[in-house]
Amino acid sequence: MFINGQWREAASNKQFTSSNPATGEVIDQIPAGGAEDAVAAIDAAHAAFPAWSGRSAYERSAILYKAYTLMVERKDELAKLMTTEQGKPLRAAANETQYAADFLLWYAEEAKRVYGETIPSARGDQRFIIFKAPVGVVAAVTPWNYPISMLTRKLAPALAAGCTVVLKPAEATPLCAIAVFKILQEAGVPDGVINLVTAEDPKPIGEVFTTDERVRKITFTGSTAVGKMLAGKAGENMKRISLELGGHAPFIVYDDADPTHAAKGASLVKFLNTGQACISPNRMFVHESGVDAFIGELTSRVERLRAGNGLEQGVGIGPLVNEAAVAKVERQVEDAKAKGARVMCGGHRLMDNGLDKGNFYAATVLADVTPDMLIYREETFGPVAAVVPFKDGDDVLAMANDTTYGLAAYVYTNNMAKAMRTVEGLDFAIIGVNDINPTSAAAPFGGMKSSGLGREGGHEGIEEYLESKTAGFSI
Ligand code: NAD
C-alpha cells in the first residue's frame, strides 16, 4: 500500500494473493488493508490537500505530463504485467495502457483550462464572479477489467483539479494499481496527494469512504449493485458521487447495412477483453434479411479466435476473471439453449491443453435469442454473442431501450437519416455509428439510467472534481 508517500504493509500485517487467471499461478502477496489503513490514507490525503490545491495548475500539469511520458515509455512492461494479472492478450493490454496514458496527457492539458465565469448582475453596484475550486479529498474505487485505464481516468482529472485521492483497486488486480502509483510517485506527485489501499475485502473500506466526513467525493467504477449501495450511503452523508456501472449494449444492424461488415465489427468489439467490458454488446439485433450472412461471418471469425495465455503469440482471447464469472456465462448459455437458442459455435468451458487450470469459456455465438432468456436482460460479462433477429414493423429502438441500463449502443446503417434518428431515440450515452470504438480520453464516457451518474473523460471529466463558488461583490 502507498500511504503518505511510503510503501507499507497493512496495519493488520495480513496479506492476500494476486494470481494469474490463465494459469492459476500465484504472482505475488499483497497487503490486505482494512478500515484502519483507509483512515490513515484519508489522514494523509486531508493533510496534503491545502498545499496541493494551492499549487499552480501549471505545476500540477507538469507532473501529469511527466507521468504520461513515463507510462508511454513503460508500455510494454505494463502490458506484460496486465496480461499476467488480468488475462487480456498482450496487444489489448498495450492498447489499454496507451488509453490509460491518454488520460494523463489530456488532463495535463485540461488542468490549465479550468475557467471560471463572470455574470452580469441586475444591480448596478454588484459583480458576480464564479470561481472553480477542487472538491477536496476524493475516494476512488476501481474494477479489474481495465486495471490501469480505470485508475488514470479518475486520478488524472482529480489531480489536475487540485484534489487529493485515496484509491482502492479491485482485489483481482492490485499489482497493476501499484505500477500506476509508482509512475505517479516517480513523476513527482507529493507525499499524501495520492494514496493506495489494497484489500481483499472491500467492505470495511467502502464503509470508511462513505462515512468519513473528510471525504468530499466518491468516484466508483464497477457493478450496478455495489454502485447503488455506495451511492445510497454517500447520499446519506452528502458526498458528491460519480458512478460508472454496468451495461447491456444493443448492437443494431439495419437492413441497409452490409451484414458482413457489421459482423466483422461485432466480432471485434464483443470479444475484446473476453467480453468483460461494460460497453460490450449484449444483444445483437439484426434485420432478418441479413441475419444469416451476419451469423455466418461472425461464427467463422469467432471459431478462429484462439483462447489461451495472453502472453503467447496468436492468442486472441484470454480467460475470465474467476470461476464465478465462468459459472455465470455457463448459466446464461444453458438457459438460452433450453429456451430454444441455437449454439453456432462454442457453448462450453475450455478444459483441454492446460486451459482447465485457468478460467476459460469458449467464444460462443448464439442465434435466435429471445426476450425470455436470461442473456437478454442480464449483463453477461463474458464471450457470448447473442443474436436477436428482427423484421420490418418491429420497433427495434423500443427493443434496444428495453433494459435498465443505458451505457453504450452500436448501430450499423448506410442511411444518414436513420442513423441520426437512432442516435436520438436510443436511451444510451455512448453510441457507435458504423463504429466499434466510440471512446477516447477526449470524449465524455458514462451512462444513463442504471449505468451510472456523471461523466469521465473530455472536458466534462474534470468538472466532476470541481465545485463552483459564486462570489457576489458589492462595489
Ligand atoms: P464490483 O462492483 O464487484 O467491484 C468493483 C470494485 O468495487 C472493486 O474494486 C471491488 O473491490 C469494489 N467493491 C465491491 N464491494 C464493495 C463494497 N461493499 N465497498 C467498497 N467497494 C466495493 O464489480 P466487478 O465485478 O469488479 O466489475 C465489473 C462491473 O463493473 C461490471 O458490471 C461492469 O459493467 C462494470 N464496469 C463499468 C465500467 C464503466 O465505466 N461504466 C467500466 C468497467 C467495469
Side-chain angles (χ1 to χ4, degrees):
M1 298 195 299
F2 187 65
I3 298 177
N4 206 16
Q6 303 293 317
W7 289 98
R8 51 157 111 158
E9 290 302 317
S12 65
N13 252 320
K14 287 194 185 132
Q15 293 187 323
F16 67 104
T17 54
S18 167
S19 52
N20 183 331
T23 63
E25 282 161 6
V26 170
I27 312 169
D28 213 340
Q29 300 294 326
I30 311 293
E36 199 180 325
D37 303 292
V39 171
I42 295 168
D43 290 343
H46 184 65
F49 178 70
W52 179 246
S53 56
R55 289 222 187 174
S56 78
Y58 280 76
E59 288 175 276
R60 295 197 298 265
S61 168
I63 292 174
L64 286 170
Y65 186 73
K66 172 85 177 149
Y68 161 75
T69 53
L70 288 172
M71 190 169 276
V72 171
E73 271 166 36
R74 291 186 198 158
K75 190 152 84 177
D76 292 348
E77 193 186 310
L78 289 164
K80 249 186 221 152
L81 172 68
M82 195 192 306
T83 297
T84 309
E85 193 180 41
Q86 194 271 341
K88 69 186 66 172
L90 211 43
R91 214 176 96 199
N95 289 344
E96 184 191 330
T97 309
Q98 181 60 53
Y99 181 52
D102 290 348
F103 286 104
L104 295 168
L105 178 60
W106 178 261
Y107 287 107
E109 294 158 345
E110 288 296 284
K112 295 177 276 186
R113 293 178 196 130
V114 175
Y115 302 136
E117 231 181 334
T118 60
I119 295 177
S121 168
R123 272 172 37 206
D125 67 345
Q126 189 184 43
R127 303 288 180 270
F128 281 122
I129 302 180
I130 316 303
F131 294 90
K132 294 284 180 177
V135 297
V137 175
V138 172
V141 178
T142 53
W144 47 267
N145 58 345
Y146 286 88
I148 294 191
S149 59
M150 292 303 100
L151 273 69
T152 56
R153 199 156 82 173
K154 297 183 187 308
L155 287 163
L159 295 177
C163 295
T164 56
V165 185
V166 179
L167 187 139
K168 193 211 76 62
E171 43 277 32
T173 51
L175 291 170
C176 287
I178 289 169
V180 171
F181 272 68
K182 287 197 166 148
I183 285 177
L184 288 166
Q185 181 189 18
E186 205 174 317
V189 176
D191 292 355
V193 171
I194 50 165
N195 303 275
L196 177 69
V197 180
T198 50
E200 185 172 30
D201 176 7
K203 289 183 207 72
I205 293 169
E207 188 62 30
V208 172
F209 282 0
T210 47
T211 53
D212 191 307
E213 65 180 24
R214 295 167 300 171
V215 172
R216 297 310 319 141
K217 180 189 169 84
I218 295 186
T219 172
F220 171 82
T221 298
S223 62
T224 296
V226 174
K228 282 185 174 170
M229 185 278 291
L230 291 175
K233 288 195 175 171
E236 278 171 29
N237 295 301
M238 213 46 74
K239 297 184 193 307
R240 292 173 57 130
I241 184 132
S242 304
L243 301 165
E244 300 285 359
L245 308 175
H248 206 279
F251 187 104
I252 302 172
V253 184
Y254 284 115
D255 54 355
D256 59 75
D258 172 359
T260 308
H261 176 64
K264 181 180 171 199
S267 71
L268 292 170
V269 65
K270 176 68 236 183
F271 297 93
L272 198 69
N273 205 11
T274 321
Q276 301 171 114
C278 47
I279 61 169
S280 189
N282 229 109
R283 295 161 296 152
M284 297 185 180
F285 297 105
V286 185
H287 189 269
E288 60 180 0
S289 60
V291 76
D292 290 340
F294 181 88
I295 289 176
E297 179 68 20
L298 179 61
T299 306
S300 102
R301 287 178 174 270
V302 172
E303 278 171 336
R304 278 179 271 147
L305 279 175
R306 206 183 113 211
N309 184 335
L311 291 177
E312 287 167 19
Q313 275 279 322
V315 164
I317 190 158
L320 289 164
V321 65
N322 54 29
E323 166 54 32
V326 182
K328 182 179 184 192
V329 171
E330 193 167 46
R331 187 166 54 86
Q332 288 193 0
V333 171
E334 292 309 314
D335 168 81
K337 270 162 61 179
K339 291 173 180 160
R342 284 181 293 139
V343 179
M344 309 308 293
C345 66
H348 53 84
R349 288 175 184 246
L350 292 173
M351 305 300 278
D352 297 340
N353 305 320
L355 296 188
D356 56 326
K357 295 193 183 71
N359 308 309
F360 287 96
Y361 194 91
T364 300
V365 176
L366 294 178
D368 300 333
V369 168
T370 50
D372 57 328
M373 297 174 188
L374 283 177
I375 197 161
Y376 197 94
R377 307 260 163 224
E378 271 186 8
E379 190 181 31
T380 304
F381 239 55
V384 186
V387 182
V388 186
F390 72 94
K391 50 186 187 312
D392 290 340
D394 284 347
D395 186 348
V396 73
L397 274 183
M399 291 161 78
N401 286 336
D402 180 20
T403 168
T404 55
Y405 293 109
L407 190 61
Y410 305 84
V411 52
Y412 275 72
T413 177
N414 286 318
N415 179 324
M416 175 107 113
K418 203 184 253 184
M420 188 60 83
R421 275 197 301 272
T422 303
V423 168
E424 288 178 359
L426 283 170
D427 294 333
F428 292 83
I430 304 164
I431 303 173
V433 182
N434 300 322
D435 185 40
I436 53 164
N437 187 15
T439 63
S440 156
F445 187 107
M448 293 157 62
K449 295 157 75 179
S450 286
S451 290
L453 288 174
R455 295 292 180 267
E456 294 188 317
H459 65 83
E460 292 180 40
I462 198 166
E463 288 293 331
E464 302 280 336
Y465 299 92
L466 295 167
E467 297 276 13
S468 287
K469 278 186 172 171
T470 299
F473 288 77
S474 184
I475 57 170

Coordinates of all heavy atoms in Angstrom, one line a residue, residues 141-146 150 153 168-171 202-203 206 220-224 226 229-230 244-247 277-278 379 381 407 445 451, ligand 1:
V141 N -12.8 4.0 -6.2 CA -12.9 2.5 -6.2 C -12.9 2.1 -7.6 O -13.7 2.6 -8.4 CB -14.1 2.0 -5.4 CG1 -14.2 0.5 -5.5 CG2 -14.1 2.5 -4.0
T142 N -12.0 1.2 -8.0 CA -11.9 0.8 -9.4 C -12.0 -0.7 -9.6 O -11.8 -1.5 -8.7 CB -10.5 1.3 -10.0 OG1 -9.5 0.8 -9.1 CG2 -10.4 2.8 -10.0
P143 N -12.3 -1.1 -10.9 CA -12.6 -2.5 -11.2 C -11.3 -3.2 -11.8 O -10.3 -2.5 -12.1 CB -13.7 -2.5 -12.2 CG -13.3 -1.2 -13.0 CD -12.7 -0.3 -12.0
W144 N -11.4 -4.5 -12.0 CA -10.3 -5.3 -12.5 C -10.3 -5.4 -14.0 O -9.3 -5.8 -14.6 CB -10.4 -6.7 -11.9 CG -11.8 -7.3 -12.1 CD1 -12.8 -7.2 -11.2 CD2 -12.4 -7.9 -13.3 NE1 -14.0 -7.7 -11.7 CE2 -13.8 -8.1 -13.0 CE3 -11.9 -8.2 -14.5 CZ2 -14.6 -8.7 -13.9 CZ3 -12.8 -8.8 -15.4 CH2 -14.1 -9.0 -15.1
N145 N -11.4 -5.1 -14.7 CA -11.4 -5.4 -16.1 C -10.5 -4.5 -17.0 O -10.0 -4.9 -18.0 CB -12.9 -5.5 -16.7 CG -13.6 -4.2 -16.5 OD1 -13.2 -3.3 -15.7 ND2 -14.7 -4.0 -17.1
Y146 N -10.4 -3.2 -16.5 CA -9.5 -2.3 -17.2 C -8.6 -1.7 -16.0 O -8.8 -0.6 -15.6 CB -10.2 -1.2 -18.0 CG -10.8 -1.8 -19.2 CD1 -12.0 -2.4 -19.3 CD2 -10.0 -1.9 -20.4 CE1 -12.5 -3.0 -20.4 CE2 -10.5 -2.5 -21.6 CZ -11.7 -3.1 -21.6 OH -12.2 -3.7 -22.7
M150 N -8.8 2.5 -15.9 CA -9.8 3.0 -15.0 C -9.2 3.8 -13.8 O -9.9 4.6 -13.2 CB -10.6 1.8 -14.4 CG -11.5 1.1 -15.4 SD -12.7 2.2 -16.3 CE -11.8 2.5 -17.8
R153 N -8.2 7.4 -15.4 CA -9.4 8.1 -15.8 C -10.0 8.9 -14.6 O -10.7 9.8 -14.7 CB -10.5 7.1 -16.4 CG -11.5 7.8 -17.2 CD -12.2 6.9 -18.1 NE -13.2 6.0 -17.5 CZ -14.0 5.2 -18.2 NH1 -13.8 5.1 -19.5 NH2 -14.9 4.5 -17.6
K168 N -8.8 2.6 -3.9 CA -8.9 1.2 -3.6 C -9.1 0.4 -4.9 O -10.1 0.5 -5.5 CB -10.0 0.9 -2.6 CG -9.9 -0.6 -2.0 CD -11.2 -1.2 -1.7 CE -11.9 -1.7 -3.0 NZ -11.2 -2.7 -3.8
P169 N -8.1 -0.3 -5.3 CA -8.2 -1.0 -6.6 C -9.0 -2.4 -6.4 O -9.2 -2.8 -5.2 CB -6.8 -1.3 -7.0 CG -6.1 -1.5 -5.7 CD -6.8 -0.5 -4.7
A170 N -9.4 -3.0 -7.4 CA -10.0 -4.3 -7.3 C -9.1 -5.3 -6.8 O -7.9 -5.3 -7.0 CB -10.5 -4.7 -8.7
E171 N -9.6 -6.3 -6.0 CA -8.8 -7.3 -5.4 C -8.1 -8.2 -6.4 O -7.1 -8.8 -6.1 CB -9.6 -8.1 -4.3 CG -11.0 -8.5 -4.7 CD -12.1 -7.5 -4.6 OE1 -11.8 -6.3 -4.7 OE2 -13.2 -7.9 -4.3
P202 N -13.4 -5.6 0.4 CA -13.6 -4.1 0.2 C -14.5 -3.5 1.1 O -14.6 -2.2 1.2 CB -14.1 -4.0 -1.3 CG -14.8 -5.4 -1.5 CD -14.0 -6.4 -0.7
K203 N -15.4 -4.3 1.8 CA -16.5 -3.7 2.6 C -16.1 -2.7 3.6 O -16.6 -1.6 3.7 CB -17.4 -4.8 3.1 CG -18.1 -5.5 2.1 CD -19.1 -6.6 2.7 CE -19.3 -7.7 1.7 NZ -18.1 -8.6 1.5
G206 N -15.1 0.5 2.0 CA -16.2 1.3 1.4 C -17.0 2.0 2.6 O -17.5 3.1 2.4
F220 N -16.7 5.9 -8.4 CA -16.7 4.4 -8.4 C -16.9 3.9 -9.8 O -17.7 4.4 -10.5 CB -17.9 3.9 -7.5 CG -18.2 2.5 -7.6 CD1 -17.4 1.6 -6.8 CD2 -19.2 1.9 -8.4 CE1 -17.7 0.2 -6.9 CE2 -19.4 0.6 -8.5 CZ -18.7 -0.3 -7.7
T221 N -16.2 2.8 -10.2 CA -16.5 2.1 -11.4 C -16.6 0.6 -11.0 O -15.7 0.1 -10.4 CB -15.4 2.2 -12.5 OG1 -15.3 3.6 -12.8 CG2 -15.7 1.4 -13.7
G222 N -17.7 0.0 -11.4 CA -17.9 -1.4 -11.0 C -19.4 -1.8 -11.3 O -20.0 -1.2 -12.1
S223 N -19.8 -2.7 -10.5 CA -21.2 -3.3 -10.8 C -22.3 -2.3 -10.3 O -22.1 -1.5 -9.4 CB -21.3 -4.6 -10.1 OG -21.2 -4.4 -8.7
T224 N -23.4 -2.4 -10.9 CA -24.6 -1.5 -10.5 C -25.0 -1.8 -9.1 O -25.3 -0.8 -8.4 CB -25.7 -1.8 -11.5 OG1 -25.3 -1.4 -12.8 CG2 -26.9 -0.9 -11.2
V226 N -23.2 -2.7 -6.4 CA -22.3 -2.1 -5.4 C -22.4 -0.6 -5.6 O -22.4 0.2 -4.6 CB -20.8 -2.6 -5.6 CG1 -19.9 -1.8 -4.7 CG2 -20.7 -4.1 -5.3
M229 N -25.4 0.8 -3.8 CA -25.2 0.7 -2.3 C -24.3 1.9 -1.9 O -24.6 2.6 -0.9 CB -24.6 -0.6 -2.0 CG -24.4 -1.0 -0.5 SD -22.9 -0.3 0.1 CE -21.7 -1.2 -0.7
L230 N -23.2 2.1 -2.6 CA -22.2 3.1 -2.2 C -22.9 4.5 -2.3 O -22.7 5.4 -1.5 CB -20.9 3.1 -3.0 CG -20.0 1.9 -2.7 CD1 -18.8 1.9 -3.6 CD2 -19.5 1.9 -1.2
E244 N -19.7 4.8 -12.6 CA -19.6 4.2 -14.0 C -20.0 2.7 -13.7 O -19.2 2.0 -13.1 CB -18.2 4.3 -14.5 CG -17.7 5.7 -14.7 CD -18.3 6.4 -15.9 OE1 -19.1 5.8 -16.6 OE2 -18.0 7.6 -16.1
L245 N -21.2 2.3 -14.2 CA -21.6 1.0 -13.7 C -21.8 0.0 -14.9 O -21.1 0.2 -15.9 CB -23.0 1.2 -13.0 CG -22.9 2.2 -11.8 CD1 -24.2 2.4 -11.2 CD2 -21.8 1.8 -10.8
G246 N -22.7 -0.9 -14.8 CA -22.8 -2.0 -15.8 C -23.5 -1.5 -17.1 O -24.0 -0.4 -17.1
G247 N -23.5 -2.4 -18.0 CA -24.2 -2.0 -19.3 C -24.9 -3.3 -19.9 O -24.7 -4.4 -19.4
A277 N -16.3 -6.2 -20.7 CA -16.3 -4.7 -20.8 C -17.7 -4.2 -20.6 O -18.6 -4.8 -21.1 CB -15.7 -4.3 -22.2
C278 N -17.8 -3.1 -19.9 CA -19.1 -2.5 -19.7 C -19.8 -2.1 -21.0 O -21.0 -1.9 -21.0 CB -19.0 -1.4 -18.7 SG -17.7 -0.3 -19.1
E379 N -26.5 -8.6 -17.7 CA -25.2 -8.4 -18.3 C -24.4 -9.7 -18.3 O -24.3 -10.4 -17.3 CB -24.4 -7.3 -17.4 CG -23.2 -6.8 -18.0 CD -22.5 -5.8 -17.1 OE1 -22.6 -5.9 -15.9 OE2 -21.8 -4.9 -17.6
F381 N -20.9 -10.2 -19.4 CA -19.5 -10.0 -19.0 C -18.7 -11.3 -19.3 O -17.8 -11.7 -18.5 CB -19.4 -9.7 -17.5 CG -18.7 -8.4 -17.3 CD1 -19.2 -7.2 -17.9 CD2 -17.6 -8.3 -16.5 CE1 -18.6 -6.0 -17.7 CE2 -16.9 -7.0 -16.3 CZ -17.4 -5.9 -16.9
L407 N -25.7 2.5 -21.1 CA -24.3 2.9 -21.3 C -24.0 3.0 -22.8 O -24.1 4.1 -23.4 CB -23.3 2.0 -20.6 CG -21.9 2.4 -20.5 CD1 -21.7 3.6 -19.7 CD2 -21.1 1.2 -19.8
F445 N -17.4 9.9 -21.2 CA -17.8 8.5 -21.0 C -18.6 8.3 -19.8 O -18.2 8.7 -18.7 CB -16.5 7.6 -20.9 CG -16.7 6.1 -20.9 CD1 -16.3 5.4 -22.0 CD2 -17.2 5.5 -19.8 CE1 -16.5 4.0 -22.1 CE2 -17.4 4.1 -19.9 CZ -17.1 3.4 -21.0
S451 N -26.9 2.7 -15.5 CA -25.5 2.6 -15.9 C -24.6 3.7 -15.2 O -23.4 3.7 -15.3 CB -25.3 2.7 -17.4 OG -25.7 1.5 -18.0
Ligands
NAD1 P1 -17.7 -4.9 -8.4 O1 -18.7 -3.9 -8.2 O2 -17.8 -6.2 -7.6 O3 -16.3 -4.4 -8.0 C1 -15.8 -3.1 -8.4 C2 -15.0 -2.5 -7.3 O4 -15.8 -2.3 -6.2 C3 -13.8 -3.4 -6.8 O5 -12.7 -2.6 -6.5 C4 -14.4 -4.0 -5.6 O6 -13.4 -4.4 -4.6 C5 -15.2 -2.9 -5.0 N1 -16.3 -3.2 -4.1 C6 -17.1 -4.3 -4.1 N2 -17.9 -4.2 -3.0 C7 -17.6 -3.1 -2.3 C8 -18.0 -2.5 -1.1 N3 -19.0 -3.1 -0.4 N4 -17.5 -1.3 -0.7 C9 -16.5 -0.8 -1.5 N5 -16.0 -1.3 -2.6 C10 -16.6 -2.4 -3.0 O7 -17.6 -5.1 -9.9 P2 -16.6 -6.0 -10.7 O8 -17.2 -7.3 -10.9 O9 -15.3 -5.9 -10.2 O10 -16.6 -5.2 -12.1 C11 -17.4 -5.5 -13.1 C12 -18.6 -4.5 -13.2 O11 -18.0 -3.2 -13.4 C13 -19.4 -4.7 -14.4 O12 -20.8 -4.6 -14.1 C14 -19.1 -3.7 -15.4 O13 -20.0 -3.3 -16.4 C15 -18.7 -2.5 -14.5 N6 -17.7 -1.7 -15.2 C16 -18.2 -0.4 -15.6 C17 -17.4 0.4 -16.3 C18 -17.9 1.8 -16.7 O14 -17.1 2.6 -17.0 N7 -19.2 2.0 -16.8 C19 -16.1 0.1 -16.5 C20 -15.6 -1.2 -16.1 C21 -16.5 -2.0 -15.4

